[in-house]
Protein backbone atom coordinates (compact mmCIF):
# COMPACT_ATOMS: atom_id res chain seq x y z
CA UNK A 1 0.00 0.00 0.00
CA UNK A 2 1.18 3.54 -0.74
CA UNK A 3 0.67 6.51 1.51
CA UNK A 4 0.74 9.95 -0.03
CA UNK A 5 1.05 12.87 2.39
CA UNK A 6 -2.23 14.33 1.11
CA UNK A 7 -4.02 11.16 1.95
CA UNK A 8 -2.58 10.37 5.37
CA UNK A 9 -5.00 10.14 8.25
CA UNK A 10 -4.16 10.02 11.95
CA UNK A 11 -6.56 8.74 14.57
CA UNK A 12 -5.43 8.70 18.20
CA UNK A 13 -1.88 9.39 17.02
CA UNK A 14 -1.76 6.38 14.72
CA UNK A 15 -1.25 6.93 11.01
CA UNK A 16 -3.64 4.94 8.83
CA UNK A 17 -2.70 4.10 5.26
CA UNK A 18 -6.11 4.87 3.76
CA UNK A 19 -9.25 6.86 4.39
CA UNK A 20 -11.43 3.94 3.35
CA UNK A 21 -12.34 1.49 6.12
CA UNK A 22 -13.80 -1.84 5.13
CA UNK A 23 -16.41 -3.90 6.93
CA UNK A 24 -16.22 -7.62 6.29
CA UNK A 25 -19.87 -8.45 7.05
CA UNK A 26 -22.05 -9.79 4.27
CA UNK A 27 -19.39 -11.20 1.97
CA UNK A 28 -20.92 -14.37 0.50
CA UNK A 29 -17.59 -16.16 0.38
CA UNK A 30 -14.58 -15.54 2.63
CA UNK A 31 -12.32 -16.60 -0.24
CA UNK A 32 -13.16 -13.27 -1.92
CA UNK A 33 -11.80 -11.24 1.00
CA UNK A 34 -8.12 -11.09 -0.03
CA UNK A 35 -9.03 -9.73 -3.48
CA UNK A 36 -11.48 -7.25 -1.93
CA UNK A 37 -8.78 -6.02 0.47
CA UNK A 38 -6.29 -5.73 -2.38
CA UNK A 39 -8.76 -3.60 -4.33
CA UNK A 40 -9.94 -1.45 -1.41
CA UNK A 41 -6.52 -0.97 0.27
CA UNK A 42 -8.40 -0.19 3.50
CA UNK A 43 -6.87 1.63 6.46
CA UNK A 44 -8.84 -0.55 8.88
CA UNK A 45 -10.96 -3.66 8.53
CA UNK A 46 -13.82 -4.36 10.93
CA UNK A 47 -14.85 -7.67 12.47
CA UNK A 48 -17.57 -8.66 14.94
CA UNK A 49 -17.23 -10.76 18.10
CA UNK A 50 -19.44 -13.83 18.38
CA UNK A 51 -19.66 -17.03 20.42
CA UNK A 52 -17.36 -19.67 18.99
CA UNK A 53 -20.16 -22.16 18.40
CA UNK A 54 -22.50 -19.84 16.54
CA UNK A 55 -20.39 -19.14 13.47
CA UNK A 56 -17.40 -20.93 12.00
CA UNK A 57 -14.34 -18.67 12.10
CA UNK A 58 -13.25 -20.04 8.72
CA UNK A 59 -9.81 -18.49 8.81
CA UNK A 60 -11.00 -14.87 8.93
CA UNK A 61 -8.23 -13.72 11.26
CA UNK A 62 -5.61 -15.62 9.30
CA UNK A 63 -6.81 -13.89 6.13
CA UNK A 64 -6.66 -10.44 7.75
CA UNK A 65 -3.25 -11.05 9.28
CA UNK A 66 -1.90 -12.28 5.94
CA UNK A 67 -3.20 -9.05 4.35
CA UNK A 68 -1.37 -7.07 7.08
CA UNK A 69 -4.36 -4.80 7.58
CA UNK A 70 -5.19 -3.36 11.02
CA UNK A 71 -8.27 -4.98 12.59
CA UNK A 72 -11.02 -2.88 14.16
CA UNK A 73 -13.39 -5.02 16.22
CA UNK A 74 -16.93 -3.77 16.59
CA UNK A 75 -19.64 -4.28 19.18
CA UNK A 76 -22.36 -4.87 16.60
CA UNK A 77 -25.59 -6.23 17.97
CA UNK A 78 -25.13 -4.87 21.50
CA UNK A 79 -28.27 -3.28 22.94
CA UNK A 80 -26.83 -1.86 26.17
CA UNK A 81 -23.69 -0.20 27.46
CA UNK A 82 -23.05 -3.25 29.66
CA UNK A 83 -23.06 -5.64 26.68
CA UNK A 84 -20.95 -3.30 24.57
CA UNK A 85 -18.30 -2.83 27.25
CA UNK A 86 -17.99 -6.58 27.83
CA UNK A 87 -17.84 -7.21 24.06
CA UNK A 88 -15.10 -4.59 23.68
CA UNK A 89 -13.13 -6.18 26.53
CA UNK A 90 -13.49 -9.62 24.89
CA UNK A 91 -12.31 -8.15 21.59
CA UNK A 92 -9.29 -6.55 23.24
CA UNK A 93 -8.35 -9.86 24.79
CA UNK A 94 -8.94 -11.93 21.63
CA UNK A 95 -7.45 -9.56 19.07
CA UNK A 96 -4.85 -7.68 21.12
CA UNK A 97 -6.07 -4.24 20.11
CA UNK A 98 -7.58 -1.57 22.33
CA UNK A 99 -9.34 0.01 19.34
CA UNK A 100 -13.07 -0.57 19.14
CA UNK A 101 -15.86 0.52 16.82
CA UNK A 102 -18.50 1.09 19.47
CA UNK A 103 -22.01 0.20 18.38
CA UNK A 104 -24.94 0.27 20.79
CA UNK A 105 -28.20 -0.04 18.92
CA UNK A 106 -31.65 0.77 20.24
CA UNK A 107 -33.47 -2.05 18.53
CA UNK A 108 -32.83 -4.79 16.01
CA UNK A 109 -35.18 -3.41 13.37
CA UNK A 110 -33.96 0.14 12.82
CA UNK A 111 -30.41 -0.63 13.98
CA UNK A 112 -30.27 3.02 15.04
CA UNK A 113 -27.76 3.99 17.74
CA UNK A 114 -29.07 4.36 21.30
CA UNK A 115 -27.53 7.72 22.17
CA UNK A 116 -27.92 7.35 25.95
CA UNK A 117 -26.31 3.91 26.17
CA UNK A 118 -23.70 4.93 23.58
CA UNK A 119 -22.37 7.85 25.62
CA UNK A 120 -22.37 5.73 28.78
CA UNK A 121 -20.43 2.94 27.05
CA UNK A 122 -18.00 5.42 25.48
CA UNK A 123 -17.23 6.99 28.87
CA UNK A 124 -16.61 3.59 30.45
CA UNK A 125 -14.40 2.36 27.61
CA UNK A 126 -12.31 5.54 27.51
CA UNK A 127 -11.74 5.12 31.28
CA UNK A 128 -10.63 1.54 30.62
CA UNK A 129 -8.03 2.74 28.11
CA UNK A 130 -9.78 1.94 24.85
CA UNK A 131 -9.48 3.95 21.64
CA UNK A 132 -13.17 4.41 20.94
CA UNK A 133 -14.72 5.06 17.52
CA UNK A 134 -18.47 5.30 18.16
CA UNK A 135 -21.15 4.67 15.54
CA UNK A 136 -23.62 7.51 16.01
CA UNK A 137 -26.54 9.33 14.49
CA UNK A 138 -25.88 12.40 12.31
CA UNK A 139 -26.36 14.63 15.35
CA UNK A 140 -23.79 17.36 16.04
CA UNK A 141 -24.76 17.58 19.72
CA UNK A 142 -24.27 13.83 20.25
CA UNK A 143 -21.01 13.98 18.30
CA UNK A 144 -19.73 16.69 20.63
CA UNK A 145 -20.76 14.67 23.68
CA UNK A 146 -18.86 11.67 22.33
CA UNK A 147 -15.78 13.74 21.53
CA UNK A 148 -15.95 15.33 25.00
CA UNK A 149 -16.12 11.81 26.47
CA UNK A 150 -12.72 11.15 24.90
CA UNK A 151 -13.64 9.28 21.74
CA UNK A 152 -10.86 9.25 19.14
CA UNK A 153 -13.28 9.82 16.25
CA UNK A 154 -17.01 9.96 15.67
CA UNK A 155 -18.79 7.89 13.06
CA UNK A 156 -22.16 9.34 12.05
CA UNK A 157 -24.47 7.37 9.81
CA UNK A 158 -25.39 8.64 6.37
CA UNK A 159 -28.54 6.49 6.42
CA UNK A 160 -29.58 3.25 8.15
CA UNK A 161 -27.13 0.32 8.25
CA UNK A 162 -27.19 -1.72 5.05
CA UNK A 163 -29.77 0.54 3.40
CA UNK A 164 -27.51 1.85 0.65
CA UNK A 165 -29.48 5.12 0.73
CA UNK A 166 -26.31 7.20 0.86
CA UNK A 167 -26.18 10.46 2.82
CA UNK A 168 -29.77 11.49 3.51
CA UNK A 169 -28.84 14.73 5.30
CA UNK A 170 -25.58 16.20 4.02
CA UNK A 171 -26.14 19.36 6.09
CA UNK A 172 -26.17 17.29 9.27
CA UNK A 173 -22.89 15.57 8.31
CA UNK A 174 -21.33 18.99 7.67
CA UNK A 175 -22.60 20.14 11.06
CA UNK A 176 -20.98 17.11 12.75
CA UNK A 177 -17.69 17.87 10.98
CA UNK A 178 -17.88 21.47 12.20
CA UNK A 179 -18.83 20.47 15.76
CA UNK A 180 -15.87 18.26 16.70
CA UNK A 181 -12.07 18.39 16.51
CA UNK A 182 -11.69 14.61 16.16
CA UNK A 183 -11.87 12.90 12.75
CA UNK A 184 -15.38 12.21 11.45
CA UNK A 185 -15.86 8.87 9.70
CA UNK A 186 -19.03 8.43 7.64
CA UNK A 187 -20.22 5.04 8.72
CA UNK A 188 -23.48 3.50 7.57
CA UNK A 189 -25.50 3.98 4.43
CA UNK A 190 -22.92 4.10 1.64
CA UNK A 191 -24.39 2.39 -1.43
CA UNK A 192 -21.99 3.31 -4.20
CA UNK A 193 -18.97 5.40 -5.09
CA UNK A 194 -20.73 8.78 -5.29
CA UNK A 195 -21.92 8.41 -1.67
CA UNK A 196 -18.34 7.91 -0.51
CA UNK A 197 -17.09 10.84 -2.57
CA UNK A 198 -19.82 13.09 -1.15
CA UNK A 199 -18.89 12.13 2.40
CA UNK A 200 -15.32 13.24 1.79
CA UNK A 201 -16.44 16.44 0.02
CA UNK A 202 -18.51 17.27 3.11
CA UNK A 203 -15.35 17.11 5.21
CA UNK A 204 -15.34 13.60 6.57
CA UNK A 205 -11.88 12.25 7.33
CA UNK A 206 -12.74 8.72 6.20
CA UNK A 207 -15.56 6.45 5.07
CA UNK A 208 -16.48 3.02 6.37
CA UNK A 209 -18.27 0.73 3.93
CA UNK A 210 -19.32 -2.85 4.37
CA UNK A 211 -22.51 -3.85 2.60
CA UNK A 212 -21.84 -1.51 -0.33
CA UNK A 213 -18.83 -3.68 -1.14
CA UNK A 214 -19.73 -7.10 0.17
CA UNK A 215 -23.21 -7.28 -1.36
CA UNK A 216 -22.34 -5.59 -4.68
CA UNK A 217 -22.62 -7.77 -7.78
CA UNK A 218 -18.85 -7.49 -8.05
CA UNK A 219 -17.38 -6.85 -4.59
CA UNK A 220 -13.83 -6.46 -5.91
CA UNK A 221 -14.94 -3.93 -8.53
CA UNK A 222 -16.91 -1.93 -5.93
CA UNK A 223 -13.98 -2.03 -3.48
CA UNK A 224 -11.81 -0.40 -6.13
CA UNK A 225 -14.55 2.13 -6.97
CA UNK A 226 -14.92 3.17 -3.33
CA UNK A 227 -11.16 3.54 -2.91
CA UNK A 228 -11.03 5.87 -5.91
CA UNK A 229 -14.14 7.75 -4.75
CA UNK A 230 -12.71 8.39 -1.28
CA UNK A 231 -9.49 9.62 -2.82
CA UNK A 232 -11.36 11.82 -5.32
CA UNK A 233 -13.70 13.25 -2.68
CA UNK A 234 -10.82 14.02 -0.35
CA UNK A 235 -8.91 15.74 -3.15
CA UNK A 236 -12.00 17.74 -4.11
CA UNK A 237 -12.52 18.85 -0.52
CA UNK A 238 -8.92 20.02 -0.40
CA UNK A 239 -9.24 21.81 -3.75
CA UNK A 240 -12.23 23.88 -2.63
CA UNK A 241 -15.35 23.59 -4.73
CA UNK A 242 -17.02 26.59 -6.40
CA UNK A 243 -20.06 27.99 -4.61
CA UNK A 244 -23.45 26.91 -5.87
CA UNK A 245 -25.40 29.72 -7.51
CA UNK A 246 -28.76 29.79 -9.25
CA UNK A 247 -27.66 31.85 -12.26
CA UNK A 248 -25.26 31.19 -15.10
CA UNK A 249 -21.76 32.65 -15.11
CA UNK A 250 -19.85 32.47 -18.38
CA UNK A 251 -16.32 31.18 -18.32
CA UNK A 252 -15.53 32.39 -21.87
CA UNK A 253 -14.86 36.14 -22.32
CA UNK A 254 -17.82 38.18 -23.56
CA UNK A 255 -15.51 40.71 -25.30
CA UNK A 256 -14.32 40.19 -28.88
CA UNK A 257 -17.18 38.07 -30.07
CA UNK A 258 -17.96 38.28 -33.84
CA UNK A 259 -21.15 39.98 -35.00
CA UNK B 1 -20.09 -29.70 37.97
CA UNK B 2 -22.48 -27.80 35.78
CA UNK B 3 -21.59 -24.57 34.01
CA UNK B 4 -23.28 -22.58 31.28
CA UNK B 5 -21.14 -22.24 28.17
CA UNK B 6 -22.38 -19.79 25.52
CA UNK B 7 -25.91 -20.20 26.92
CA UNK B 8 -25.77 -24.05 26.81
CA UNK B 9 -25.62 -26.16 29.99
CA UNK B 10 -22.45 -28.25 30.18
CA UNK B 11 -20.72 -30.71 32.53
CA UNK B 12 -17.05 -29.89 33.01
CA UNK B 13 -14.23 -30.06 35.50
CA UNK B 14 -10.92 -28.25 35.69
CA UNK B 15 -9.63 -24.97 34.41
CA UNK B 16 -10.54 -22.63 31.59
CA UNK B 17 -7.62 -24.14 29.63
CA UNK B 18 -9.11 -27.62 30.13
CA UNK B 19 -12.44 -26.38 28.79
CA UNK B 20 -10.77 -24.77 25.77
CA UNK B 21 -8.86 -27.97 25.07
CA UNK B 22 -12.08 -29.99 25.16
CA UNK B 23 -13.81 -27.52 22.89
CA UNK B 24 -11.14 -26.40 20.44
CA UNK B 25 -8.37 -28.97 20.82
CA UNK B 26 -6.01 -26.23 21.98
CA UNK B 27 -5.30 -25.07 25.53
CA UNK B 28 -4.26 -21.62 24.30
CA UNK B 29 -6.06 -20.95 21.01
CA UNK B 30 -5.34 -17.60 19.34
CA UNK B 31 -8.05 -15.12 18.42
CA UNK B 32 -10.25 -16.29 21.30
CA UNK B 33 -11.42 -14.53 24.46
CA UNK B 34 -13.07 -15.94 27.55
CA UNK B 35 -15.34 -14.31 30.10
CA UNK B 36 -16.66 -15.95 33.27
CA UNK B 37 -19.60 -14.28 34.98
CA UNK B 38 -19.05 -11.22 32.78
CA UNK B 39 -15.41 -10.81 33.83
CA UNK B 40 -12.61 -11.30 31.31
CA UNK B 41 -10.26 -14.17 32.11
CA UNK B 42 -6.89 -13.05 30.69
CA UNK B 43 -5.13 -15.51 28.41
CA UNK B 44 -2.24 -15.91 30.87
CA UNK B 45 -4.68 -17.02 33.60
CA UNK B 46 -6.48 -19.71 31.57
CA UNK B 47 -4.29 -22.59 32.80
CA UNK B 48 -4.83 -21.82 36.49
CA UNK B 49 -8.37 -20.41 36.44
CA UNK B 50 -10.61 -23.08 38.09
CA UNK B 51 -14.21 -23.34 36.90
CA UNK B 52 -16.86 -23.74 39.57
CA UNK B 53 -20.45 -24.96 39.65
CA UNK B 54 -22.83 -22.37 38.23
CA UNK B 55 -20.26 -20.34 36.34
CA UNK B 56 -21.53 -18.60 33.21
CA UNK B 57 -18.81 -18.84 30.57
CA UNK B 58 -18.56 -17.06 27.24
CA UNK B 59 -16.02 -18.07 24.60
CA UNK B 60 -15.93 -15.70 21.63
CA UNK B 61 -13.94 -15.08 18.49
CA UNK B 62 -13.94 -12.73 15.51
CA UNK B 63 -16.40 -13.25 12.67
CA UNK B 64 -17.16 -11.23 9.55
CA UNK B 65 -18.97 -8.05 10.48
CA UNK B 66 -19.37 -4.38 9.60
Amino acid sequence: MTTSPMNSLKIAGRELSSRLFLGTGGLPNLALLPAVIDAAEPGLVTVSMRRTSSTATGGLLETLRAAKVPILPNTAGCLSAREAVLTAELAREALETDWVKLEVIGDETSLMPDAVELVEAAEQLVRKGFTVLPYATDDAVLARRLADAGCAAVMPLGSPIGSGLGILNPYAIEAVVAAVDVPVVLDAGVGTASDAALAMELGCAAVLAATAVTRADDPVGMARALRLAVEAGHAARGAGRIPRQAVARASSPMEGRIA
Amino acid sequence: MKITLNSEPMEVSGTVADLLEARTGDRRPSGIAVAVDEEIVPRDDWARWQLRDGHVVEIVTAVQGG
Side-chain angles (χ1 to χ4, degrees):
Chain A
M1 282 183 233
T2 53
T3 305
S4 65
M6 182 196 77
N7 221 31
S8 72
L9 166 65
K10 264 191 184 173
I11 295 181
R14 172 180 176 186
E15 190 158 323
L16 301 173
S17 62
S18 161
R19 293 174 182 271
L20 175 61
F21 303 164
L22 181 69
T24 55
L27 205 60
N29 180 356
L30 184 63
L32 274 175
L33 188 56
V36 166
I37 290 173
D38 273 354
E41 297 180 11
L44 292 167
V45 172
T46 67
V47 299
S48 297
M49 303 307 296
R50 289 293 180 268
R51 290 168 169 169
T52 48
S53 56
S54 64
T55 317
T57 61
L60 173 64
L61 290 176
E62 290 76 3
T63 300
L64 296 178
R65 283 172 183 150
K68 295 189 164 42
V69 62
I71 297 173
L72 177 65
N74 68 27
T75 63
C78 290
L79 288 157
S80 66
R82 183 186 62 81
E83 287 173 23
V85 169
L86 179 59
T87 301
E89 290 181 311
L90 286 163
R92 176 159 70 179
E93 182 68 20
L95 303 176
E96 292 164 24
T97 174
D98 57 15
W99 283 45
V100 63
K101 177 189 164 187
L102 176 63
E103 288 187 50
V104 190
I105 55 171
D107 66 67
E108 291 167 10
T109 306
S110 72
L111 304 178
M112 292 293 275
D114 182 323
V116 175
E117 295 289 322
L118 184 66
V119 172
E120 170 65 29
E123 287 171 345
Q124 287 186 37
L125 288 170
V126 168
R127 275 200 299 275
K128 289 171 184 279
F130 282 84
T131 296
V132 182
L133 291 76
Y135 163 65
T137 45
D138 59 353
D139 176 343
V141 177
L142 176 59
R144 198 179 300 121
R145 289 289 299 268
L146 291 164
D148 288 348
C151 291
V154 291
M155 306 181 67
L157 56 82
S159 52
I161 290 176
S163 70
L165 289 173
I167 298 174
L168 292 179
N169 190 345
Y171 303 101
I173 298 299
E174 280 186 316
V176 169
V177 169
V180 295
D181 291 330
V182 295
V184 174
V185 182
L186 196 284
D187 192 343
V190 169
T192 188
S194 53
D195 301 328
L198 176 59
M200 301 305 292
E201 289 166 11
L202 294 171
C204 291
V207 170
L208 194 158
T211 315
V213 171
T214 60
R215 297 203 171 121
D217 287 345
D218 172 6
V220 175
M222 187 57 80
R224 175 171 177 273
L226 291 191
R227 171 171 60 79
L228 295 171
V230 165
E231 197 177 322
H234 182 61
R237 171 75 178 189
R241 60 153 300 148
I242 60 164
R244 288 183 173 85
Q245 57 180 25
V247 293
R249 182 180 169 196
S251 60
S252 304
M254 298 303 278
E255 302 77 26
R257 289 173 294 165
I258 58 167
Chain B
M1 66 193 160
K2 287 192 176 63
I3 65 161
T4 304
L5 172 59
N6 291 353
S7 280
E8 305 272 333
M10 194 178 177
E11 276 287 338
V12 295
S13 61
T15 64
V16 167
D18 294 329
L19 175 63
L20 286 167
E21 186 171 32
R23 196 169 172 84
T24 70
D26 189 343
R27 295 179 65 78
R28 205 180 154 88
S30 71
I32 295 273
V34 179
V36 177
D37 292 347
E38 300 200 353
E39 293 289 331
I40 304 295
V41 181
R43 175 171 296 265
D44 289 344
D45 293 348
W46 288 350
R48 59 174 179 265
W49 216 97
Q50 289 291 328
L51 292 165
R52 291 198 313 271
D53 212 42
H55 269 153
V56 176
V57 182
E58 299 282 354
I59 303 178
V60 303
T61 190
V63 300
Q64 285 173 249

